[in-house]
Amino acid sequence: MPLTALAGTGLGLAVAPLTAAAMQGAADGEQGAASGINNAVARVAGLVAVAVLGRVAALSYGDAAPGFGVPGDGPAHLAATGTAFGTIALSASLSAALAAALALCVTRAVR
């Protein structure tokens, strides 16, 4: 629960400024198109991230029985699930840090 609350807080702090920046960068009369493009790109990026992170989880799971995505409660399965989750968390964190660094490198005057 605490990590989910932290993720929600992070999204709340990131999404509003990103949307505001996209709207401020749009010319008068084009805010609707900018909003639509912003939302479409966000949805596609989310879908791609889920697909990629799912593959990362499957690869980092390893050969533990009963297999990735199959219910189980043995020690090998629990350890492999923990490893897969840790790899996903690290991958997502590094991706977010890279995105933040790239955003800081791109400067553009806001009207």
Side-chain angles (χ1 to χ4, degrees):
M1 177 65 184
L3 294 177
T4 302
L6 179 63
T9 301
L11 282 171
L13 292 172
V15 172
L18 289 172
T19 302
M23 297 302 101
Q24 289 176 350
D28 291 340
E30 294 181 355
Q31 288 89 2
S35 176
I37 291 169
N38 183 45
N39 286 324
V41 168
R43 299 300 178 265
V44 170
L47 293 171
V48 170
V50 167
V52 169
L53 291 176
R55 184 65 183 145
V56 167
L59 290 173
S60 64
Y61 184 85
D63 297 329
F68 181 72
V70 178
D73 59 359
H77 176 68
L78 294 176
T81 301
T83 299
F85 179 76
T87 303
I88 289 172
L90 179 62
S91 300
S93 298
L94 291 175
S95 296
L98 177 63
L102 289 174
L104 288 174
C105 292
V106 177
T107 57
R108 190 175 127 192
V110 178
R111 296 187 274 143

